[in-house]
Amino acid sequence: MSNEPTTRTPSRWNGLSTEERQRERRNLLIEAAFELLANEGMSGTTVRAVCAHARLNPRYFYESFTDLDELLVAVYDNVFRQLKRRSADAVNAAEDDAGAMRASVAATVHFIAEDPRRGRILYSEALGNEALNLRRVRTGATLVELVLQDNSRRDVGAQDEHIGRLGASVLVGGFSELLVAWIGGRLDLTAEELIDDATEVFLAVWDATRRLHAAH
């Protein structure tokens, strides 16, 4: 019988409280699901695959999420929060309305260009899952409200609620479809070309909205 001491491998949870361990495991699951969803798509993103990628026992999955859909929505929300912060910082630094429009478009395009997986999560894979698509629709509605709030803060001309909402909806929905086409390779444009062209189109839409407001 060997008298050599047994070496115990340190646990990666050593020194963490119960709450910290759970939070860390949740983050690992979100990171794993992000990788799988962006690279393998919905078919390759299962509870078993996520747990294996995160190197976690499947029982830990259910301490943070009730099912796969809840995890996928958490992944979507995490990416969207990053984009929202990036866009808000860019818009707040703009000097005028045209600059704010370009800043918002540029922030979004660059955010996706830096890591195309983000775009697939927000605009492509969301179309193939009911829970994600519902989140995408709700996020679009949130963006419409943010556009309206920013217009109010900047005292943009089209303040009539109906007309303002019409213009904001066209901008948000149109930009989303442009990005889906660009990510899917159906728009043969560089990031800078997309920013230039989309900004011009959106400024024209907003000018038309202002004229419609004035006519009323």
Side-chain angles (χ1 to χ4, degrees):
M1 181 175 180
S2 174
N3 293 322
E4 292 182 4
T6 301
T7 301
R8 184 183 296 274
T9 303
S11 168
R12 55 175 161 169
W13 314 121
N14 284 350
L16 299 180
S17 68
T18 299
E19 292 76 14
E20 289 171 334
R21 293 181 183 190
Q22 183 173 349
R23 183 166 57 250
E24 180 65 15
R25 286 192 288 264
R26 177 185 171 87
N27 290 337
L28 288 172
L29 290 167
I30 290 175
E31 291 172 5
F34 172 86
E35 294 279 348
L36 289 171
L37 187 60
N39 296 320
E40 306 295 334
M42 283 300 307
S43 62
T45 308
T46 64
V47 172
R48 182 187 296 274
V50 169
C51 291
H53 199 78
R55 297 191 298 118
L56 289 173
N57 188 300
R59 69 186 176 89
Y60 288 127
F61 179 92
Y62 296 101
E63 75 176 0
S64 295
F65 304 101
T66 57
D67 55 24
L68 182 61
D69 281 350
E70 186 177 350
L71 170 59
L72 296 179
V73 169
V75 172
Y76 184 98
D77 287 347
N78 189 49
V79 178
F80 178 69
R81 279 193 296 270
Q82 296 175 46
L83 172 58
K84 186 178 175 182
R85 286 195 296 269
R86 177 83 67 89
S87 181
D89 289 344
V91 169
N92 289 335
E95 297 181 354
D96 53 31
D97 297 338
M101 180 71 77
R102 182 179 180 83
S104 179
V105 171
T108 303
V109 172
H110 287 150
F111 180 77
I112 293 171
E114 289 168 9
D115 187 347
R117 297 175 302 173
R118 297 166 175 169
R120 289 195 288 274
I121 296 293
L122 292 175
Y123 299 104
S124 300
E125 292 302 327
L127 300 175
N129 176 273
E130 184 177 356
L132 281 181
N133 195 41
L134 179 59
R135 193 54 142 215
R136 186 179 73 93
V137 171
R138 290 178 175 173
T139 297
T142 299
L143 289 174
V144 168
E145 296 303 323
L146 290 175
V147 171
L148 291 173
Q149 291 173 18
D150 188 63
N151 289 341
S152 177
R153 179 175 65 84
R154 291 175 176 276
D155 195 28
V156 176
Q159 294 299 310
D160 179 275
E161 182 177 356
H162 171 72
I163 297 173
R165 188 171 298 279
L166 184 154
S169 297
V170 169
L171 292 176
V172 171
F175 195 23
S176 177
E177 292 305 311
L178 275 177
L179 291 169
V180 169
W182 187 57
I183 293 167
R186 298 190 300 278
L187 280 180
D188 186 18
L189 298 172
T190 66
E192 294 307 316
E193 288 172 340
L194 178 61
I195 292 168
D196 289 342
D197 293 349
T199 299
E200 288 300 316
V201 170
F202 295 158
L203 287 174
V205 169
W206 208 242
D207 284 342
T209 305
R210 287 173 167 175
R211 290 195 299 272
L212 185 60
H213 170 74
H216 284 67

